[in-house]
Amino acid sequence: MNEEKRATFGGRISAVLVAAGSAVGLGNIWRFPYLAGENGGGAFLVIYLAAVLLIGLPLMISEFSLGTATRHNAVGAFRALNKRWAVVGYMGILSSALILSFYLVVAGWTAEYMVHSVTSDLVRNTDPASHVAAFEQFVGHPWKPVIYALLFSLATHLIIVLGVQKGIERASKVMMPVLLLVLVVLAVNSMLMPGGMEGLKFFLNPDFSKVTAETILLAVGQAFFSLSIGLGTMITYASYFKQGTSVQGTALQVTLLDTFVAVMAGLVIFPAVFSAGIEPGSGPSLVFITLPSIFSTLPMSGFWSTIFFLLLVLAALTSTISLHESVTAYVEEEWKMSRQKAARLTTLLTGLLAVMASLSLGIWKEYTICGLTFFDSLDYLTANILLPLGAFLTCLFVGWKFDRTLFAQQLYPNGIMGREYPILRFMIRYICPIILFVIFADNLGLI
Ligand code: TRP
């Protein structure tokens, strides 16, 4: 597409904000704590941090550079550079649609919790068992969660058709600082809860005895999921960066911000989990049980839970927007459709899958694929297979196929190479693909 005609974000700060808006979401606040809770707490955190630094950051820089070099969607970017590799882009678009489908369901839960916070009936009870019961009742309800998921899909759709700049940028700018502040306040509050220190120990003291090959795959998959990398979302977003936006500076800031939010979420959740006697391995329901328990003990409980779930809704919304945008940008550019039509098609398809994913936790519970519900299979397939695979191929491409000069130009537009360049290149060419390959091979039982 013509560069002049293509929409751009407003500059450095906006680039960080919108990319962080995509990265920061339910992955940090819902998925990370429940995986850490199921997989040994501190040990999971350490492996996660290593994955973010060693693989996540170089990959985000790689994806950004593909976006700024080509100014295309994920498929268009790969195709413009090397036709055969367009398949990586296609895989990314497919994964984006699949992630969006189950993400909308969880986002719907946060919207429902926000509504129940406003009426204060979420936090009326201090007994954790009542929160477990309330969660199960809601998720298994025949139509309520479906309605909320569809409302979320509609909200995403509306922002997408209002356009790149106006919609995405504004939404991200307001929310991020408030979210950080509220998380810090809540983390301090949780640590002061009686018995909270036990939880802190669980989260910060690594016990590697429970770590298996699968734990490592889960941590790496979660790192990609949380950073929004591995399926080209960041390629699409970087294609909107203004000329001169620093690729590695933006990637570093987004990575730090995203990781900070995940760690803070852990600091909010785990002390409270231990204080209230909740099972840390409760799975996807963990935060939905723990958060109401925290709020119910606070003065002005309704106020705190309303603010928090509102922020969570907004954080989820900036992420659903990015997932939707990847698919829409592809349909619009590659199928030569109007933006309106492309968005409508994306919304219809993912909305339908979201309905199925939601029902698979309720009235369609008996229908499973390899023992997993449709919801769980979407989550597993994307985070543990498609994302690491997409990341692996993206590394290979940027390290070995992408023109070296073009890559360097994206990182150093003024021609002066930074000292980190050789290390970064070595990571992308060797370290990242080798680690990813070994993890895959190990999980498939090949080594
Ligand atoms: N990173 C988001 C989160 O943590 C989810 C997300 C948005 C995503 N876009 C993505 C995950 C692209 C993978 C790929 O909630």
Side-chain angles (χ1 to χ4, degrees):
M1 187 189 256
N2 188 327
E3 220 172 277
E4 269 84 40
K5 266 191 359 213
R6 203 173 166 86
T8 56
F9 294 137
R12 173 79 185 266
I13 303 215
S14 306
V16 172
L17 274 169
V18 288
S22 166
V24 174
L26 299 172
N28 310 59
I29 293 168
W30 161 71
R31 205 169 184 276
F32 173 75
Y34 101 65
L35 284 176
E38 279 180 337
N39 294 282
F44 188 84
L45 175 65
V46 171
I47 302 169
Y48 175 78
L49 292 177
V52 165
L53 201 70
L54 289 178
I55 320 180
L57 184 59
L59 251 156
M60 193 183 290
I61 294 174
S62 302
E63 286 202 10
F64 278 172
S65 70
L66 291 175
T68 58
T70 61
R71 304 268 161 197
H72 281 304
N73 65 79
V75 172
F78 279 104
R79 178 171 312 128
L81 296 165
N82 188 322
K83 274 213 176 67
R84 269 196 281 160
W85 286 75
V87 62
V88 184
Y90 283 114
M91 216 175 78
I93 302 300
L94 173 74
S95 322
S96 303
L98 296 181
I99 291 185
L100 182 56
S101 307
F102 78 86
Y103 205 94
L104 283 170
V105 176
V106 186
W109 300 345
T110 61
E112 148 100 12
Y113 271 56
M114 183 182 78
V115 171
H116 284 277
S117 301
V118 176
T119 55
S120 280
D121 56 342
L122 186 70
V123 288
R124 205 155 284 147
N125 232 320
T126 49
D127 169 24
S130 71
H131 298 303
V132 177
F135 177 78
E136 278 165 8
Q137 202 185 0
F138 170 62
V139 168
H141 193 278
W143 50 266
K144 266 196 206 155
V146 174
I147 300 290
Y148 276 102
L150 288 176
L151 284 175
F152 218 97
S153 167
L154 186 68
T156 309
H157 180 87
L158 288 178
I159 297 182
I160 289 287
V161 294
L162 288 177
V164 176
Q165 254 164 325
K166 279 181 280 169
I168 305 174
E169 237 176 298
R170 268 188 219 156
S172 307
K173 260 183 191 161
V174 191
M175 182 207 74
M176 205 62 72
V178 189
L179 177 68
L180 295 183
L181 189 72
V182 172
L183 277 174
V184 172
V185 173
L186 286 177
V188 172
N189 169 68
S190 285
M191 286 187 258
L192 295 177
M193 283 166 98
M197 282 302 136
E198 264 315 292
L200 207 59
K201 244 205 255 151
F202 173 79
F203 185 52
L204 297 180
N205 236 355
D207 164 14
F208 288 100
S209 64
K210 283 205 202 96
V211 171
T212 60
E214 168 143 37
T215 318
I216 300 176
L217 178 65
L218 290 174
V220 171
Q222 170 58 19
F224 295 155
F225 189 93
S226 188
L227 294 169
S228 301
I229 50 182
L231 41 78
T233 299
M234 290 304 187
I235 299 179
T236 308
Y237 263 26
S239 75
Y240 303 126
F241 283 1
K242 214 173 167 178
Q243 208 78 166
T245 303
S246 160
V247 162
Q248 62 281 47
T250 307
L252 184 64
Q253 288 183 44
V254 172
T255 304
L256 288 177
L257 200 64
D258 186 73
T259 309
F260 179 75
V261 174
V263 173
M264 289 313 285
L267 293 179
V268 172
I269 298 293
F270 288 110
V273 162
F274 280 75
S275 176
I278 296 167
E279 167 56 43
S282 300
S285 65
L286 183 70
V287 281
F288 288 95
I289 302 166
T290 312
L291 288 168
S293 309
I294 300 176
F295 298 133
S296 62
T297 62
L298 291 176
M300 300 192 302
S301 54
F303 166 80
W304 283 105
S305 63
T306 306
I307 293 279
F308 190 83
F309 281 108
L310 173 67
L311 288 168
L312 205 50
V313 163
L314 292 175
L317 191 58
T318 51
S319 299
T320 55
I321 291 167
S322 77
L323 289 161
H324 197 297
E325 175 64 26
S326 318
V327 185
T328 303
Y330 158 73
V331 175
E332 181 188 0
E333 284 174 34
E334 306 295 317
W335 298 0
K336 308 270 178 280
M337 255 186 208
S338 75
R339 194 173 163 81
Q340 296 271 347
K341 267 199 191 147
R344 223 174 290 153
L345 199 68
T346 309
T347 304
L348 276 178
L349 174 78
T350 54
L352 187 71
L353 289 175
V355 170
M356 289 168 59
S358 179
L359 291 177
S360 82
L361 297 175
I363 54 173
W364 288 355
K365 220 191 247 157
E366 308 88 71
Y367 304 106
T368 56
I369 309 162
C370 306
L372 295 177
T373 60
F374 183 58
F375 177 96
D376 290 330
S377 7
L378 283 178
D379 182 310
Y380 195 90
L381 172 70
T382 51
N384 300 321
I385 299 173
L386 293 173
L387 285 185
L389 187 60
F392 174 69
L393 295 172
T394 306
C395 279
L396 286 188
F397 183 78
V398 172
W400 299 90
K401 291 278 175 202
F402 188 30
D403 181 69
R404 171 192 299 233
T405 329
L406 195 55
F407 177 62
Q409 270 170 8
Q410 306 313 311
L411 271 61
Y412 311 102
N414 56 11
I416 307 164
M417 297 274 223
R419 260 179 304 167
E420 74 284 2
Y421 183 70
I423 306 174
L424 185 63
R425 211 160 152 78
F426 184 74
M427 304 282 289
I428 296 173
R429 279 164 78 90
Y430 300 99
I431 305 289
C432 302
I434 291 174
I435 297 180
L436 286 170
F437 181 80
V438 170
I439 295 173
F440 255 129
D442 197 15
N443 273 278
L444 292 176
L446 299 179
I447 49 174

